[in-house]
């Protein structure tokens, strides 16, 4: 089924979407509280360990083999899924096993081990409750850690009732009790057990397994032959590092420490058991050699990125995923199944960047996904037309605003635009003021007029071509506080090129902009912008694309305009200005998350009653939210509707946000006026 049809089907299931949205917001908040209580030191150490592990992985694999074999265990390195399945089957066949019990393991899902064994007459019993539920339902896990997270309690009880014979209803206590009793009966007489691993110590051969049910202890304790199946990236140097990694994974997953951490290894051979370690490559070692993809192998499988992804928490992992789901799932699917498999659902990444902020080991997940998108085969004419043509459309609108604004309201033109470029006819387009910012800048301005020096204003597409009034207000605000302002004649930041995976064109755009800004920066001038996505490109994307010193120097000089002026504004704002007494909702754009929100503080000083909450991304994501189809515009509206309902619950009179695309979404769905903080603070400040 194509992605559009999958999304359309999910959006019809209102209760399921409500369930997913609520669960992930609750998990996000719990996780953040737990991480805050833990402090940053552990995340910094584990991130460093992950990089060191990847640098030494070849040597660590040799050391691990020696450790396992020295203690009587057996070591198997599988190049791909087929080899992994055959290795496990050989081990089970050697003891005549007809049944095997398993604790949860995503690596076995990756290689389709259950299906392989069943096709050869070996029954597989999942001992994790969620994993057993999806197994009985004939489904695949929808989440790295919560396989049945997409199912309601009633659905879980119905599935389990067919196995246990007990009607428990949706009561969690009764569900768990019935499952445990049925599981105890089912494991009797099973000699073979299979586990995954959260970390493996190369020095001792110790396997660290984290669960919240303790079912792995059942598997390891009862089985005579125990097989661990895990990816090669799980290997670390030293038991201390392994323990810290699994500790971080547990807290980053749920906000709580692990319920059970079981450590076992080849020494169980001395107890009359057999221990087999089946390490799986399946594309990982190739990814290790790729300078871009290598970063994703830091992943500790905590799934924190799932909690904040606006599209994943709306449609779930059976749509946003293959074997692996969610934001980091695009990477894992590309590594283990190939880019084409990953690109079946990669368009559900809207490049909001929230997942990167949540990742405890600092993986730049949206940029990895853009890299995966760049591997797509085919011309993708509509994507290319939008990514490269949106600025041509903006330039046309700036020259002929009446015509373009009028066409944007005509059904025939919108139908044509939808046919050619895939722009949803029901979505409002930005209205053009007419003219370019540079045409409206005061004549005769010189850089030496500023008492405090020169500031470079990078206007980006909106303030330059769509509504130059914002650009003028930005310049006026800077000049009010004694800065001379340079406005280079430059194109927009090119974020759609990155978002759709046209990285060659994005790299050329980055070189042009960095080349123009670098002389200013080298002369000591800071760079400011009023568009959060432009700042994100300058600070994060361009250094990633170019990997050169010039882009890094420009990145270090970039600031949001209001943050840059916050000290000046603090002492100049008056509470009885034109916005004093108004109720305002403050929407923080995604590409400004993770930084201090100085705007709310300044708005309060300006007499504005400010309300805000972290509802996540509004779902617009630039041109993505304008594109037709269930997997784009309809999904965008579903996400935006939920955010807008929260905004309206505060009964604001205005909304304040920096993002031009957030403004378009929020004004469309709430009917409220949406203002840039530059507009509000300019009119609320008095020069001193």
């Amino acid at each position: 089924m194509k992605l559009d049809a999958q999304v359309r089907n999910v959006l019809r299931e209102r209760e399921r979407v409500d369930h997913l949205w609520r669960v992930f917001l609750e998990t996000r908040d719990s996780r953040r509280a737990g991480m805050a209580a833990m402090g940053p030191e552990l995340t910094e150490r584990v991130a460093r360990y992950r990089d060191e592990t990847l640098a030494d992985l070849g040597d660590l694999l040799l050391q691990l083999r020696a450790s396992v074999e020295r203690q009587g265990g057996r070591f198997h390195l599988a190049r791909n899924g087929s080899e992994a399945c055959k290795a496990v089957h050989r081990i089970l066949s050697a003891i005549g096993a007809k049944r095997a019990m398993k604790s949860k393991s995503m690596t076995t899902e990756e290689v389709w081990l259950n299906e392989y064994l069943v096709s050869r007459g070996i029954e597989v019993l999942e001992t994790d409750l969620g994993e057993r539920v999806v197994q009985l339902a004939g489904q695949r896990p929808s989440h790295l850690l919560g396989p049945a997270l997409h199912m309601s309690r009633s659905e879980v009880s119905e599935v389990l009732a067919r196995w246990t014979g007990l009607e428990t209803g949706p009561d969690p206590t009764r569900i768990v009790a019935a499952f445990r009793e049925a599981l105890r009966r089912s494991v009797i007489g099973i000699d073979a057990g299979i586990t995954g691993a959260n970390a493996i110590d190369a020095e001792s051969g110790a396997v660290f397994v984290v669960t919240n049910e303790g079912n792995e202890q059942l598997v390891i304790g009862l089985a005579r032959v125990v097989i661990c199946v895990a990816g090669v990236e799980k290997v670390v140097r030293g038991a201390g590092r392994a323990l810290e990694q699994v500790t971080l994974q547990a807290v980053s997953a749920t906000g709580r420490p692990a319920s059970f951490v079981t450590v076992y290894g080849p020494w169980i051979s001395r107890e009359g058991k057999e221990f087999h370690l089946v390490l799986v490559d399946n594309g990982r070692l190739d990814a290790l050699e790729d300078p871009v993809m290598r970063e994703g192998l830091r992943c500790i499988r905590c799934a924190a990125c799932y909690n904040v992804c606006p599209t994943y928490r709306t449609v779930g992992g059976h749509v946003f995923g293959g074997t692996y789901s969610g934001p980091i799932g695009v990477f894992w699917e590309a590594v283990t199944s190939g880019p084409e498999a990953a690109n079946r659902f990669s368009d559900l990444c809207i490049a909001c960047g929230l997942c990167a902020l949540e990742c405890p080991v600092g993986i730049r997940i949206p940029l990895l996904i853009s890299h995966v998108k760049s591997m797509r085969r085919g011309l993708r004419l509509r994507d290319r037309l939008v990514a490269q043509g949106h600025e041509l459309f903006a330039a046309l609108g700036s020259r002929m605003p009446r015509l373009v604004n009028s066409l944007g309201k005509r059904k025939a033109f919108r139908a044509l635009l939808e046919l050619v470029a895939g722009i949803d006819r029901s979505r409002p387009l930005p209205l053009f003021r007419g003219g370019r910012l540079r045409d409206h800048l005061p004549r005769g301005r010189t850089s030496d007029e500023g008492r405090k020096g020169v500031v470079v204003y990078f206007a980006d597409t909106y303030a330059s071509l769509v509504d130059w009034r914002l650009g003028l207000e930005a310049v006026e605000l800077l000049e009010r506080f004694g800065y001379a302002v340079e406005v280079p004649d430059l194109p927009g930041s090119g974020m759609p090129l990155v978002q759709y995976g046209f990285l060659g064109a994005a790299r050329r755009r980055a070189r042009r902009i960095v080349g123009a800004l670098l002389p200013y920066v080298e002369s000591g001038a800071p760079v400011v912008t009023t568009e959060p996505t432009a700042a994100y490109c300058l600070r994060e994307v361009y250094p990633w694309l170019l990997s050169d010193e010039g882009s890094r120097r420009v990145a270090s000089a970039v600031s949001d305009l209001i943050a840059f002026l916050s000290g000046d504004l603090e002492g100049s704002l008056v509470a009885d200005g034109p916005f004093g007494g108004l109720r305002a909702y403050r929407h923080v754009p995604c590409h400004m998350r993770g930084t201090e929100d100085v705007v709310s503080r300044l708005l309060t000083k300006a007499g504005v009653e400010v309300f805000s909450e972290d509802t996540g991304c509004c779902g617009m994501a630039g041109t993505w939210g304008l594109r037709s189809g269930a997997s784009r515009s309809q999904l965008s509206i579903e996400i935006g509707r939920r955010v807008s309902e929260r905004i309206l619950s505060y009964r604001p009179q205005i909304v304040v946000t920096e993002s031009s695309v957030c403004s378009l979404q929020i004004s469309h769905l709430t009917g409220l006026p949406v203002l840039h903080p530059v507009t509000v603070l300019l009119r609320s400040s008095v020069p001193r």
Side-chain angles (χ1 to χ4, degrees):
M1 188 184 297
K2 290 188 176 179
L3 186 61
D4 247 25
Q6 290 179 289
V7 172
R8 190 177 300 110
N9 288 343
V10 169
L11 293 182
R12 292 192 186 109
E13 299 182 62
R14 307 303 308 166
E15 289 186 9
R16 190 178 301 279
V17 176
D18 289 343
H19 168 74
L20 289 171
W21 193 267
R22 182 180 64 258
V23 165
F24 286 118
L25 283 178
E26 290 172 354
T27 306
R28 179 201 69 179
D29 293 343
S30 173
R31 184 255 179 200
R32 287 180 178 175
M35 292 292 286
M38 186 177 64
E41 294 82 6
L42 182 60
T43 62
E44 293 167 1
R45 286 200 302 275
V46 173
R48 186 175 72 251
Y49 298 160
R50 295 303 301 147
D51 284 338
E52 291 172 359
T53 290
L54 297 177
D56 299 335
L57 189 55
D59 291 339
L60 290 174
L61 292 176
L62 293 175
Q63 183 180 20
L64 177 59
R65 176 189 285 272
S67 298
V68 169
E69 293 177 347
R70 185 175 61 250
Q71 298 177 78
R74 300 177 193 178
F75 181 95
H76 313 260
L77 181 60
R79 290 175 299 177
N80 51 46
S82 175
E83 286 191 5
C85 290
K86 288 176 181 177
V88 174
H89 184 249
R90 280 196 303 272
I91 297 165
L92 297 178
S93 297
I95 63 168
K98 294 299 180 183
R99 300 172 70 208
M101 52 185 164
K102 277 180 67 218
S103 70
K104 182 178 177 298
S105 166
M106 279 305 298
T107 307
T108 61
E109 296 285 351
E110 170 193 322
V111 301
W112 296 79
L113 178 63
N114 286 14
E115 291 78 3
Y116 185 93
L117 295 178
V118 169
S119 71
R120 284 153 179 80
I122 299 176
E123 179 190 346
V124 179
L125 173 69
E126 295 286 357
T127 62
D128 174 85
L129 194 158
E131 196 78 33
R132 182 59 175 161
V133 168
V134 295
Q135 183 185 35
L136 291 168
Q139 299 178 9
R140 302 276 283 173
S142 68
H143 187 279
L144 272 176
L145 304 176
L149 192 143
H150 60 288
M151 300 174 73
S152 68
R153 291 173 182 174
S154 296
E155 289 173 315
V156 169
S157 68
E158 289 171 11
V159 170
L160 282 178
R162 296 197 292 268
W163 178 50
T164 65
L166 298 174
E167 297 291 340
T168 63
D171 182 349
T173 303
R174 294 180 64 194
I175 289 173
V176 171
F179 172 72
R180 283 176 175 166
E181 181 58 33
L183 185 62
R184 289 189 188 104
R185 293 195 304 268
S186 299
V187 297
I188 295 172
I190 299 181
D191 285 337
I194 301 168
T195 80
N198 296 94
I200 303 170
D201 171 28
E203 294 177 349
S204 65
V207 175
F208 289 69
V209 184
V210 178
T211 67
N212 62 3
E213 299 169 24
N215 54 296
E216 80 289 352
Q217 297 178 19
L218 181 74
V219 170
I220 297 163
L222 292 181
R224 181 169 63 84
V225 175
V226 185
I227 308 165
C228 173
V229 182
V232 294
E233 82 285 356
K234 297 293 180 66
V235 180
V236 300
R237 188 188 301 280
R241 290 186 172 192
L243 184 59
E244 288 198 317
Q245 181 171 306
V246 299
T247 300
L248 177 60
Q249 189 220 20
V251 177
S252 186
T254 64
R256 298 184 299 275
S259 301
F260 298 92
V261 178
T262 298
V263 182
Y264 80 103
W267 55 82
I268 66 173
S269 302
R270 296 193 293 268
E271 303 167 5
K273 295 176 180 282
E274 280 187 30
F275 172 80
H276 295 263
L277 177 60
V278 179
L279 283 187
V280 182
D281 171 6
N282 206 29
R284 290 163 172 82
L285 297 180
D286 285 342
L288 187 64
E289 299 303 314
D290 184 313
V292 177
M293 295 292 278
R294 178 191 187 101
E295 183 177 320
L297 293 174
R298 288 183 197 160
C299 177
I300 60 172
R301 308 285 187 91
C302 68
C305 56
Y306 292 38
N307 301 329
V308 294
C309 176
T311 49
Y312 179 87
R313 71 185 189 195
T314 304
V315 300
H318 286 157
V319 176
F320 196 154
T323 297
Y324 291 104
S325 59
I328 198 62
V330 177
F331 162 79
W332 281 116
E333 200 72 7
V335 169
T336 61
S337 300
E340 288 305 306
N343 280 318
R344 286 198 291 267
F345 59 92
S346 64
D347 279 336
L348 291 175
C349 169
I350 62 178
C352 67
L354 297 181
C355 54
L357 295 176
E358 213 77 0
C359 179
V361 291
I363 302 171
R364 295 168 292 185
I365 301 172
L367 299 181
L368 278 184
I369 294 174
S370 291
H371 182 65
V372 173
K373 288 178 179 178
S374 75
M375 302 181 205
R376 278 193 264 208
R377 294 194 290 266
L379 295 176
R380 300 167 53 215
L381 291 176
R382 278 186 170 181
D383 284 354
R384 191 174 292 277
L385 184 60
V386 172
Q388 297 183 325
H390 76 286
E391 283 184 272
L392 294 175
F393 182 77
L396 182 65
S398 71
R399 292 190 183 97
M400 295 180 284
R402 289 185 180 179
L403 174 62
V404 173
N405 289 341
S406 174
L407 287 173
K409 298 175 182 177
R410 294 186 181 180
K411 291 182 179 179
F413 175 76
R414 292 305 303 270
L416 179 63
L417 192 61
E418 185 172 305
L419 178 66
V420 174
I423 301 297
D424 192 322
R425 69 187 76 186
S426 69
R427 297 290 260 160
L429 298 176
L431 294 175
F432 292 91
R433 185 166 292 275
R436 303 187 311 153
L437 170 61
R438 288 179 59 82
D439 298 333
H440 290 85
L441 291 171
R443 301 290 181 185
R445 297 164 56 256
T446 60
S447 296
D448 58 2
E449 291 175 350
R451 301 187 310 275
K452 296 183 178 179
V454 177
V455 171
V456 180
Y457 173 49
F458 180 68
D460 206 28
T461 304
Y462 183 82
S464 180
L465 298 175
V466 180
D467 188 355
W468 48 262
R469 181 181 58 183
L470 171 60
L472 273 189
E473 289 175 338
V475 171
E476 182 181 346
L477 196 57
L478 286 163
E479 291 180 340
R480 174 174 294 184
F481 292 109
Y483 296 96
V485 185
E486 287 284 348
V487 185
D489 189 8
L490 289 171
S493 60
M495 184 60 189
L497 297 170
V498 179
Q499 185 179 33
Y500 292 113
F502 298 116
L503 297 188
R507 200 167 281 112
R508 291 190 291 273
R509 177 68 57 88
R511 285 197 191 99
R512 177 178 173 185
I513 292 173
V514 167
L517 295 178
L518 186 57
Y520 292 108
V521 172
E522 289 180 333
S523 69
V527 178
V528 299
T529 181
T530 49
E531 188 68 58
T533 298
Y536 170 69
C537 284
L538 290 165
R539 283 195 295 239
E540 303 287 339
V541 180
Y542 292 176
W544 176 77
L545 284 170
L546 301 179
S547 299
D548 63 5
E549 184 59 28
S551 60
R552 288 188 285 270
R553 293 193 65 180
V554 169
S556 67
V558 174
S559 298
D560 167 70
L561 186 144
I562 298 299
F564 177 78
L565 287 178
S566 60
D568 296 292
L569 284 163
E570 285 276 3
S572 69
L573 293 169
V574 294
D576 58 354
F579 296 95
L582 285 184
R583 294 170 61 90
Y585 185 91
R586 165 73 175 133
H587 176 74
V588 182
C590 292
H591 288 144
M592 295 188 73
R593 306 288 171 91
T595 61
E596 181 189 1
D597 180 21
V598 299
V599 170
S600 290
R601 186 178 74 247
L602 294 173
L603 289 173
T604 301
K605 280 186 168 290
V608 179
E609 191 178 5
V610 181
F611 302 89
S612 188
E613 68 173 286
D614 186 358
T615 51
C617 176
C618 73
M620 188 59 175
T623 60
W624 179 87
L626 297 175
R627 304 291 300 280
S628 58
S631 62
R632 289 181 174 176
S633 63
Q634 290 178 37
L635 183 52
S636 169
I637 290 170
E638 174 64 23
I639 296 165
R641 178 185 65 78
R642 293 173 179 274
V643 173
S644 296
E645 285 175 356
R646 294 302 306 152
I647 292 173
L648 290 171
S649 72
Y650 289 93
R651 293 177 285 109
Q653 294 161 289
I654 59 172
V655 177
V656 178
T657 190
E658 290 88 338
S659 170
S660 58
V661 291
C662 292
S663 298
L664 197 65
Q665 175 88 317
I666 293 169
S667 63
H668 175 216
L669 297 177
T670 66
L672 293 169
V674 183
L675 302 178
H676 197 288
V678 164
T679 301
V680 178
L681 297 174
L682 173 67
R683 298 173 189 175
S684 302
S685 64
V686 176
R688 299 187 187 278

